[in-house]
Amino acid sequence: MDTAERVLALLGLLQQRQVWTGPDLAGRLGVTPRTVRRDVERLRTLGYPVLASQGVGGGYQLGPGQDLPPLLLDDEEAIATAVSLLAGAGGGVASAGDAALRALTKLDRVLPTRLRSEVRALSGSVESFGRGGRTPVDPDVLMTLARACRDEVEVEFGYPSGGARRVEPYRLVSSDRRWYLMAFDRSRDDWRIFRVDRMTDVSARTWHFRARADAPDAATYVHEGVAARVYAHQARFLVHAPADLVRDEIPVSAAVVYPAGNGRCEVRAGADNLDGVLLHMVMLDHDFEVLEPPELATRCHELATRLHAAGSAATA
């Protein structure tokens, strides 16, 4: 091995075991202990905190640093990591799904071709529980969309509303329940949100596009879209409780909560039936005011009269 290859091999060994003696490393690398000491100094120069201790049980070990160093994985480790990330991205805990997908796209860029078929085969045998209600999706579909977002190439897929779609993918966004693709639909000349679990026959094309400078913040756009814009009615409420408290009480897919000052917040929610969204607000057990639409305020008075009559009849 030349010097660069040997130093990388040394780094890989230090990541495998907590402590190595100088003679053990020399034997593994086929060099002298003096060469090991020189290579350790090279790693330190590159910013890797290699610690050395004397005496029984002493040796070299890789210590914690300010930055996460590149990990050197053998074939088995790369396969295991990719399969675990596929499981997490495809339907695991919501808070970990985004990070798993980002890590998987980085690994995908450097994963050798010979390992891809093994990763696909093993990922089909991985299951998980405790998904928190998230609708499971095909990890291969997530990877196809993630690559397309990364490489800025168009994707084509079938969708229940509108049939075959061809779009410029921008970001994948996950909620507590589902994965969404935010994309620019050129046939509609506007941004659109697609549920990944409803997509069929997803394929990336070779046509490249230039990322649009006017793209909205993906997480905010998708959150507002699935919580309000896609419904027939949009409602706004002023809730007499702090925003952080109300956010913990409302699923993120059901409403958007904004601070309104003085310990209050504004809740924006969509519904196909206004009685349903009004019921959810009553169940929060906080005082609130209807801001819009006007017909919802009228409905409050109607229901209040009915409920008062029902209570009066029970106590008569």
Side-chain angles (χ1 to χ4, degrees):
M1 293 185 289
D2 60 23
T3 301
E5 184 180 2
R6 191 179 64 246
V7 171
L8 285 174
L10 173 60
L11 177 60
L13 290 173
L14 290 172
Q15 290 175 345
Q16 290 179 14
R17 186 189 298 179
Q18 185 174 3
V19 179
W20 286 88
T21 67
D24 282 345
L25 289 172
R28 285 293 191 98
L29 297 171
V31 296
T32 65
R34 181 179 181 182
T35 301
V36 170
R37 290 194 294 271
R38 290 177 177 174
D39 289 345
V40 165
E41 287 303 320
R42 291 187 175 99
L43 286 176
R44 289 170 175 163
T45 301
L46 293 173
Y48 294 98
V50 183
L51 309 178
S53 57
Q54 303 292 328
V56 178
Y60 296 105
Q61 65 180 106
L62 193 61
Q66 292 184 341
D67 300 313
L68 182 68
L71 297 177
L72 302 178
L73 305 176
D74 60 28
D75 286 4
E76 291 183 357
E77 292 168 339
I79 291 172
T81 301
V83 169
S84 299
L85 291 172
L86 280 168
V93 179
S95 60
D98 288 329
L101 189 59
R102 291 197 304 271
L104 187 56
T105 55
K106 292 179 181 180
L107 182 61
D108 174 71
R109 187 186 291 272
V110 298
L111 193 67
T113 303
R114 67 178 185 276
L115 301 183
R116 295 182 187 276
S117 60
E118 294 186 55
V119 169
R120 285 195 297 269
L122 286 174
S123 65
S125 64
V126 175
E127 297 290 344
S128 62
F129 62 91
R131 298 175 185 268
R134 178 184 290 182
T135 303
V137 297
D138 186 344
D140 285 340
V141 171
L142 277 180
M143 277 305 305
T144 298
L145 296 174
R147 291 191 197 106
C149 292
R150 180 192 69 194
D151 299 335
E152 297 182 349
V153 295
E154 292 184 354
V155 293
E156 190 172 23
F157 53 89
Y159 206 68
S161 59
R165 311 294 284 267
R166 186 172 175 180
V167 303
E168 299 175 0
Y170 180 65
R171 291 288 188 275
L172 279 166
V173 179
S174 65
S175 73
D176 57 336
R177 296 182 180 179
R178 299 182 179 95
W179 281 96
Y180 299 92
L181 173 70
M182 175 182 162
F184 190 85
D185 192 331
R186 298 181 65 179
S187 64
R188 275 76 172 175
D189 194 31
D190 200 2
W191 295 98
R192 289 290 188 268
I193 301 169
F194 303 94
R195 275 178 50 175
V196 175
D197 60 293
R198 290 181 174 176
M199 301 166 108
T200 59
D201 301 322
V202 179
S203 62
R205 304 183 63 85
T206 58
W207 187 266
H208 285 263
F209 62 88
R210 186 184 297 274
R212 297 175 183 269
D214 60 345
D217 178 76
T220 301
Y221 186 84
V222 172
H223 187 189
E224 293 178 347
V226 301
R229 287 196 303 264
V230 298
Y231 292 96
H233 304 283
Q234 286 76 43
R236 294 173 54 235
F237 303 90
L238 181 65
V239 181
H240 295 250
D244 290 342
L245 176 61
V246 175
R247 284 195 188 100
D248 290 338
E249 298 172 341
I250 301 179
V252 294
S253 57
V256 187
V257 182
Y258 302 95
N262 298 321
R264 302 177 302 173
C265 65
E266 181 179 325
V267 174
R268 299 180 188 178
D272 293 324
N273 185 303
L274 288 177
D275 282 359
V277 71
L278 189 58
L279 175 62
H280 284 299
M281 295 304 300
V282 172
M283 296 298 291
L284 285 179
D285 201 26
H286 300 301
D287 291 338
F288 67 92
E289 305 167 31
V290 175
L291 299 178
E292 62 180 21
E295 59 267 29
L296 187 56
T298 302
R299 186 61 174 159
C300 283
H301 290 291
E302 294 173 352
L303 292 176
T305 301
R306 185 182 300 174
L307 290 171
H308 179 73
S312 298
T315 58

